[in-house]
């Protein structure tokens, strides 16, 4: 599907469908209040025709209302946005997404007239939200379908004959939204890829391929020998039963201008291409979908990629810890004691608590690069779904300012994030009698922040650190019309990009 965004009605369109928005207004007719569609900025002839159309009389601009009609050889779709003052960004995003859903499989091209559907923040913001809705809603993982019946978005074109600054600003808003949402979709693609195709080695290769050519980016990959050299005993213990090499992908983005005030942000991502549980094997039902256990790494990679494409004025490092958690005769057995890169010893009581082992060593490695902040993202605990549901991202960390900036960023882009505390009692619970730490708590309570209490041991002195547990929100968000009903959500990429934008 090809999409055009038009600035106003004067601009000719050659699309199969013209999409016009309308708010709902209440008019006083005598003593009665009557709801009506505003039809603001509609082309005059179309407005006159539509107003006289009997079958359209029930269309009053209510949020979600849709009405197709034909006029002078052109097909139109009128859709409602509800009351103007009640329309927030997320309402607009969802309404636009539902419009896209209604037309994507039945039309090959459509033209949206922007000034009829103005969300808060004017044309630029509207263009940006609409682009997000278009890019995110037309995503579909059809790589392995013989019959690719879903309509993909070919392009969002901005059509404006008015080459004024306003048009330039709108074009810019569209370009930026496209860079971000394309990166969300790249993250979704990685997560949806099955484990027989995406293993640590192929994943690392694909990331390097994807990032190649982006300005300011450097990449390197550490393999098994490097991990041994760095004494990453925890990471290696998870990889012990694998047929593939562990891979630590290390990406850096350096902006074109660097001063001593340039912030250095480090991302760390859990890249478990499959989690069987290891010897503490998952039951069959819980193992299905564990291809998604690398969603944390895909999320931070997506954010990193977007930052580089946008040329944000921050330095960003990205560390992705990749392996599967498999079983063979060499796989780590429960009761094993391993030594982490930072020298701490860990008693492994459950090989299914593997994410924290990989993340711990990668956090040490990231800390050694002396960033100002570290944000990690991981599908770390099933307990996060119990605590916060499948919709909300868990947030933990050691620095209020960082946590508050992340909460604010999530709010700005309408993603759900909620903080859980790390109590001293839970730190104590992660201590072992025969090693410095153990990898699980002594009961099943507070599983999510106890995992964070474990990770905290591997964050370098004085570094502000935040941990995102995306075990719930990383997967399908069926309540969001711009997320596929099944598979990777891509949620939190936009939050992390917004966070980086706020760090100057
Ligand atoms: N990858 C899982 C966490 C997970 C579970 C994410 C379900 C999404 C859905 C993680 O490696 C894991 O297995 N965690 C264990 C920890 C436990 C053994 C302390 C869990 O949550 O059961
Ligand atoms: Mn596990
Ligand atoms: Zn896992």
């Amino acid at each position: 599907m090809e999409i055009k965004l038009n600035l106003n009605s004067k601009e000719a369109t050659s699309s199969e469908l013209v999409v016009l928005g309308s708010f709902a207004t209440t008019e006083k007719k005598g003593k009665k209040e009557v709801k009506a569609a505003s039809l603001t900025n509609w082309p005059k002839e179309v407005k006159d025709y539509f107003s006289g159309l009997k079958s359209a009389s029930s269309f009053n601009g209510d949020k979600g209302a849709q009405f197709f009609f034909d006029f002078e050889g052109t097909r139109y779709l009128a859709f409602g946005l509800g009351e103007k003052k009640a329309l927030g960004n997320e309402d607009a995003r969802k309404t636009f997404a539902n419009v896209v859903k209604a037309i994507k499989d039945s039309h090959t091209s459509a033209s949206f007239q922007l000034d009829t559907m103005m969300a808060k923040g004017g044309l630029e913001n509207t263009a940006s939200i609409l682009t997000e809705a278009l890019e995110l809603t037309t995503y579909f993982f059809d790589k392995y379908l013989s019959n690719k019946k879903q309509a993909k978005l070919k392009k969002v074109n901005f059509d404006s004959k008015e080459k004024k600054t306003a048009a330039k600003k709108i074009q810019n808003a569209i370009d930026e939204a496209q860079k971000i949402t394309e990166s969300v979709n790249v993250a979704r693609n990685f997560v949806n890829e099955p484990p027989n195709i995406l293993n640590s080695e192929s994943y690392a290769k694909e990331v390097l391929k994807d990032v190649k050519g982006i300005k300011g980016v450097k990449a390197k990959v550490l393999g098994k020998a490097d991990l041994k050299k760095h004494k990453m005993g925890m990471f290696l213990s998870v990889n012990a039963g694998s047929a593939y090499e562990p891979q630590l992908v290390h990406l850096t983005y350096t902006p074109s201008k660097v001063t001593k005030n340039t912030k250095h942000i480090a991302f760390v991502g859990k890249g478990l291409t499959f989690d069987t549980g290891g010897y503490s094997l998952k039951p069959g039902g819980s193992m299905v979908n564990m291809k998604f256990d690398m969603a944390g790494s895909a999320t931070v990679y997506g954010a990193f990629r977007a930052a580089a494409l946008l040329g944000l004025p921050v330095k960003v490092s990205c560390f992705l810890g990749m392996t599967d958690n498999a079983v063979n005769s060499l796989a780590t057995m429960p009761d094993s004691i391993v030594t982490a890169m930072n020298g701490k010893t860990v008693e492994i009581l459950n090989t299914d608590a593997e994410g924290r082992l990989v993340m711990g060593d990668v956090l040490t490695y990231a800390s050694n690069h002396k960033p100002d902040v570290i944000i990690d993202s991981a599908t770390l605990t099933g307990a996060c779904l119990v605590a916060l549901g499948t919709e909300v991202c868990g947030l933990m960390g050691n620095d209020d300012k960082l946590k508050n900036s992340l909460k604010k960023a999530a709010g700005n882009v309408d993603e759900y994030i909620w903080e859980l505390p790390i109590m001293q009692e839970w730190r104590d619970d992660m201590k072992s009698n025969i090693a410095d730490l153990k990898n699980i708590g002594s009961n099943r309570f507070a599983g999510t922040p106890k995992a964070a209490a474990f990770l905290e041991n591997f964050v370098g002195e004085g570094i502000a650190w935040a941990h995102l547990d995306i075990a719930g929100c990383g997967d399908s968000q069926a309540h969001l019309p711009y997320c596929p009903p099944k598979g990777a959500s891509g949620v939190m990429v936009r939050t992390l990009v917004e966070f980086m934008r706020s760090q100057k």
Side-chain angles (χ1 to χ4, degrees):
M1 190 170 58
E2 209 140 346
I3 297 283
K4 274 187 196 152
L5 308 188
N6 290 313
L7 203 48
N8 59 47
S9 71
K10 276 177 263 154
E11 299 181 349
T13 70
S14 53
S15 298
E16 216 177 277
L17 180 75
V18 175
V19 184
L20 303 173
S22 173
F23 288 95
T25 54
T26 38
E27 285 170 8
K28 278 227 160 105
K29 276 199 179 153
K31 276 189 183 162
K32 264 199 198 153
E33 290 218 325
V34 188
K35 264 199 180 172
S38 67
L39 312 186
T40 311
N41 291 333
W42 280 36
K44 182 162 187 322
E45 335 68 80
V46 185
K47 186 174 177 172
D48 290 345
Y49 172 77
F50 188 81
S51 304
L53 202 62
K54 260 235 161 76
S55 56
S57 60
S58 62
F59 180 86
N60 55 13
D62 267 350
K63 196 155 64 202
Q66 293 178 2
F67 188 86
F68 287 92
F69 62 99
D70 294 283
F71 174 64
E72 290 188 344
T74 302
R75 187 144 181 79
Y76 288 86
L77 166 61
F79 73 93
L81 288 154
E83 269 185 68
K84 186 161 182 130
K85 62 175 188 296
L87 188 81
N89 279 342
E90 182 68 351
D91 297 314
R93 204 178 279 115
K94 284 180 174 168
T95 309
F96 294 154
N98 284 321
V99 169
V100 177
K101 275 187 164 178
I103 64 172
K104 71 184 172 85
D105 295 323
S106 47
H107 296 81
T108 55
S109 62
S111 169
F112 287 71
Q113 191 182 309
L114 272 181
D115 63 356
T116 64
M117 51 190 80
M118 204 114 81
K120 285 201 178 86
L123 282 169
E124 268 170 75
N125 186 49
T126 306
S128 167
I129 302 256
L130 182 54
T131 306
E132 284 177 359
L134 286 162
E135 287 282 354
L136 296 178
T137 311
T138 50
Y139 172 84
F140 189 76
F141 188 68
D142 61 358
K143 190 170 165 190
Y144 299 103
L145 280 179
S146 311
N147 195 355
K148 301 193 197 307
K149 54 184 189 304
Q150 301 274 336
K152 285 274 165 81
L153 181 66
K154 279 203 203 100
K155 226 178 161 187
V156 178
N157 286 308
F158 177 52
D159 231 20
S160 182
K161 288 168 195 66
E162 304 178 40
K163 293 281 177 234
K164 287 188 280 192
T165 2
K168 268 197 198 136
K169 280 188 176 162
I170 292 165
Q171 183 65 58
N172 194 42
I174 294 170
D175 292 346
E176 289 190 350
Q178 228 154 2
K179 284 170 184 163
I180 297 167
T181 48
E182 183 193 88
S183 299
V184 173
N185 288 339
V186 166
R188 285 171 168 179
N189 270 338
F190 278 133
V191 177
N192 286 328
E193 202 67 61
N196 58 321
I197 307 287
L198 196 85
N199 55 61
S200 49
E201 293 166 20
S202 60
Y203 186 18
K205 274 201 194 97
E206 288 298 318
V207 166
L208 294 203
K209 208 165 103 188
D210 184 70
V211 88
K212 203 175 170 191
I214 302 181
K215 209 176 146 229
V217 173
K218 286 207 176 97
K220 73 172 173 192
V221 182
L222 286 72
K224 195 166 186 163
D226 305 303
L227 268 54
K228 279 185 181 161
K229 213 164 65 201
H230 288 292
K231 300 196 164 72
M232 297 193 187
M234 293 197 295
F235 192 160
L236 286 163
S237 77
V238 176
N239 180 254
S242 176
Y244 307 100
E245 284 228 3
Q247 306 270 269
L248 201 175
V249 174
H250 175 185
L251 309 170
T252 54
Y253 158 68
T254 313
S256 48
K257 269 189 220 136
V258 181
T259 69
K260 62 179 192 314
N261 295 324
T262 303
K263 272 256 173 104
H264 180 191
I265 296 161
F267 288 132
V268 170
K270 173 177 174 182
L272 265 286
T273 56
F274 198 81
D275 181 10
T276 68
Y279 272 117
S280 314
L281 198 65
K282 286 184 186 292
S286 319
M287 202 187 292
V288 173
N289 203 34
M290 277 302 140
K291 67 171 184 179
F292 118 104
D293 214 17
M294 35 59 70
S297 60
T299 302
V300 290
Y301 173 65
F304 171 88
R305 181 188 192 277
L309 287 174
L310 292 167
L312 296 185
V314 285
K315 181 176 173 184
V316 191
S317 299
C318 189
F319 304 92
L320 314 172
M322 302 172 178
T323 178
D324 52 18
N325 185 21
V327 198
N328 66 12
S329 60
L330 299 173
T332 298
M333 289 167 197
D335 286 343
S336 297
I337 295 179
V338 298
T339 305
M341 183 182 175
N342 72 351
K344 291 193 179 166
T345 55
V346 179
E347 184 185 17
I348 299 175
L349 292 175
N350 189 321
T351 60
D352 198 12
E354 86 298 340
R356 60 198 73 184
L357 300 174
V358 172
M359 295 294 279
D361 275 340
V362 184
L363 281 168
T364 301
Y365 184 77
S367 298
N368 289 350
H369 291 81
K370 303 264 174 268
D372 297 305
V373 304
I374 299 182
I375 300 170
D376 81 64
S377 151
T379 50
L380 208 61
T381 63
C384 193
L385 284 83
V386 179
L388 296 173
T390 54
E391 296 86 357
V392 181
C393 176
L395 167 67
M396 287 136 277
N398 64 6
D399 186 88
D400 285 337
K401 190 169 159 236
L402 173 60
K403 284 184 287 189
N404 287 336
S405 311
L406 282 163
K407 288 178 199 169
K408 194 162 174 228
N412 285 350
V413 300
D414 305 296
E415 292 189 326
Y416 295 156
I417 196 167
W418 199 260
E419 184 181 348
L420 300 172
I422 305 178
M423 309 308 287
Q424 188 52 44
E425 286 78 357
W426 302 338
R427 294 187 181 108
D428 295 341
D429 193 40
M430 298 309 289
K431 289 182 181 148
S432 159
N433 292 324
I434 56 168
D436 300 334
L437 294 164
K438 54 184 163 56
N439 79 328
I440 55 168
S442 50
N443 57 43
R444 63 194 173 81
F445 303 124
T448 303
K450 278 181 189 171
F454 180 89
L455 292 183
E456 200 183 43
N457 287 286
F458 304 95
V459 177
E461 271 294 307
I463 300 176
W465 159 73
H467 161 58
L468 303 179
D469 195 329
I470 63 159
C473 66
D475 206 9
S476 60
Q477 298 290 291
H479 62 108
L480 298 174
Y482 51 85
C483 279
K486 283 217 165 71
S489 69
V491 156
M492 286 300 132
V493 173
R494 291 191 301 115
T495 292
L496 292 176
V497 175
E498 177 70 11
F499 166 79
M500 287 185 279
R501 283 181 146 172
S502 72
Q503 305 291 302
K504 286 197 188 113

